Amino acid sequence: MVKPKNYPEANSFSPQEMAQWKHFWTSLFRMAKDRGIEPFIVNWNIAVSPEFAQKYGVQERNDTSAIVKRYTREVVTQVIDEYPDLAGIGITLADWMSNFKSQDQKLPEMTPKDREDWIEETVGAGIKAARGPVQLLHRSVLSADPKEMRRVIDHANLPDTTLVEIKFNWSHGHS
């Protein structure tokens, strides 16, 4: 959605392609807002582009290194600043943030506290650094720690609403 100011290599789109995507998303968010719909974008995992991973020597998935944290935080801020009709940013503790080692075993396991710390240091901090307020949508999953999630929401101290969404699969009752 953006060409990161400090990490332009993370986005391989040409200037023309970026202009087309920016026009699309800006128009979509404006149409939604005009119709009383609050558009959110939701991030499901810790992930970087292959180009970013190669340039900085990091993993594409579940890499919690300082540079990936800084990149994520800056991109969250830049997206909010460049899309004024965006109502909120969401995060979920999804598959690649699960409590398991990466396939190559180079990355540490993430506990619920580790995942919440990552959210606080990236998404929460990125929202706080943005020029305009947006809402935070924190999706709760069964492997989460409710106390840690509450801590992150309280520490965020954001000027707008924080939403918590819980997913219930029909299959959960059958497991």
Side-chain angles (χ1 to χ4, degrees):
M1 294 183 70
V2 296
K3 185 73 124 176
K5 293 175 186 168
N6 294 321
Y7 305 97
E9 66 283 336
N11 180 326
S12 61
F13 289 131
S14 71
Q16 180 182 4
E17 290 170 316
M18 277 307 301
Q20 290 171 339
W21 278 113
K22 180 124 187 201
H23 174 74
F24 170 78
W25 288 112
T26 301
S27 299
L28 182 68
F29 294 157
R30 171 53 54 162
M31 287 187 284
K33 186 176 181 180
D34 289 346
R35 289 161 177 78
I37 298 169
E38 294 183 318
F40 278 69
I41 57 172
V42 180
N43 184 9
W44 290 79
N45 293 292
I46 301 172
V48 297
S49 67
E51 296 84 3
F52 182 95
Q54 183 176 5
K55 166 108 177 155
Y56 295 101
V58 298
Q59 301 294 313
E60 286 182 43
R61 300 177 182 170
N62 215 32
D63 193 312
T64 59
S65 63
I67 194 162
V68 172
K69 285 181 183 178
R70 190 168 45 252
Y71 163 77
T72 303
R73 183 175 52 250
E74 289 180 18
V75 168
V76 166
T77 301
Q78 190 174 343
V79 166
I80 294 166
D81 288 348
E82 290 189 22
Y83 294 94
D85 293 322
L86 182 64
I89 301 281
I91 186 71
T92 189
L93 308 169
D95 304 342
W96 300 340
M97 294 176 76
S98 294
N99 197 16
F100 62 86
K101 290 187 183 265
S102 64
Q103 290 179 348
D104 60 12
Q105 302 296 310
K106 290 181 183 176
L107 300 174
E109 294 183 34
M110 292 184 78
T111 66
K113 181 182 183 324
D114 294 335
R115 295 187 306 249
E116 293 294 340
D117 287 346
W118 187 88
I119 290 169
E120 185 173 30
E121 295 167 13
T122 58
V123 178
I127 290 172
K128 283 183 177 181
R131 288 188 292 246
V134 295
Q135 296 174 74
L136 171 64
L137 173 83
H138 192 316
R139 188 167 181 269
S140 179
V141 294
L142 295 176
S143 64
D145 180 337
K147 291 177 186 172
E148 285 298 319
M149 187 170 78
R150 182 76 231 187
R151 175 187 59 84
V152 168
I153 291 170
D154 288 342
H155 285 173
N157 195 26
L158 299 172
D160 209 333
T161 304
T162 296
L163 305 168
V164 176
E165 188 256 348
I166 301 170
K167 177 182 176 187
F168 293 98
N169 282 351
W170 67 270
S171 61
H172 288 170
H174 301 288
S175 61

